[in-house]
Amino acid sequence: MIETSQTVTVAAPLEATWDYACAVERWAEIMPGYQSCEIADADNSLWVLKIGVGGLVRTVRVAVHVERWAGPQEVDFAFRLQGDPVEGSGSYRAKASDGGTDVTLAVQVRGSGPMAPMWEAMGGPVLPRFARGFAEELKARIEAQAGGVAPKPVPAPSLIERVIAWFRRFFAPSQT
């Protein structure tokens, strides 16, 4: 099994983040090689993706099932590639923060059969980069839908800035 977890801070409130994230077809559209998404019902969909690994390019059909909707904070899902011995699961977690909404995406992928060790060895280094790119694109789309980017919080002063400020106060002429 290979797995990763990625967290991004979306410059939008929790409710605006959920307004985007609650639509499964929007997730499918972000996937590399997106071809189509067929919605069966509120919990089930079929994503068609054209994927490439090295020189091999093929079209895969991914059955996605949302196991639990607990929005706006949580969603749990599972997926299975049709015709391939690959399945997995994942989660979406969101919580309000000073900078907007912290969103954590986690995914686990399991291969089975004699090719599983090779598939996992090839996919292990790729999955975190893929998930990071997906999380960043999700963030960008949510912020765009929410009407722009919220102002960034002012960062805390660095240690050097605090030492300089202390010296200025310490050596400043007395006002009394």
Side-chain angles (χ1 to χ4, degrees):
M1 176 172 68
I2 55 177
E3 58 188 328
T4 189
S5 177
Q6 302 292 326
T7 300
V8 292
T9 299
V10 178
L14 182 63
E15 296 75 23
T17 300
W18 179 247
D19 285 347
Y20 186 93
C22 68
V24 171
E25 60 271 14
R26 291 180 181 148
W27 290 67
E29 292 170 356
I30 297 173
M31 294 294 289
Y34 170 78
Q35 300 293 303
S36 66
C37 175
E38 301 168 19
I39 303 295
D41 58 42
D43 296 331
N44 296 288
S45 58
L46 183 65
W47 304 2
V48 178
L49 310 172
K50 191 174 210 175
I51 60 170
V53 177
L56 176 66
V57 178
R58 59 188 285 245
T59 301
V60 297
R61 297 169 63 84
V62 184
V64 178
H65 172 71
V66 177
E67 296 178 328
R68 184 173 71 103
W69 291 102
Q73 290 92 2
E74 299 181 3
V75 177
D76 296 317
F77 60 91
F79 61 89
R80 182 179 45 80
L81 272 64
Q82 293 184 339
D84 289 304
V86 178
E87 62 182 25
S89 60
S91 64
Y92 162 95
R93 300 290 184 263
K95 67 179 181 171
S97 70
D98 291 338
T101 303
D102 292 334
V103 174
T104 300
L105 303 171
V107 66
Q108 303 84 36
V109 182
R110 295 173 296 282
S112 61
M115 297 299 285
M118 183 189 74
W119 186 88
E120 290 179 2
M122 289 175 43
V126 174
L127 185 62
R129 287 194 309 267
F130 167 78
R132 186 73 192 161
F134 183 91
E136 290 294 337
E137 183 63 21
L138 181 66
K139 167 186 165 44
R141 290 183 182 214
I142 292 169
E143 289 174 350
Q145 178 177 302
V149 177
K152 292 187 177 187
V154 177
S158 70
L159 177 60
I160 293 173
E161 291 169 325
R162 288 183 284 175
V163 169
I164 292 170
W166 179 82
F167 272 110
R168 285 184 180 152
R169 284 191 310 272
F170 184 75
F171 291 109
S174 172
Q175 296 293 324
T176 55

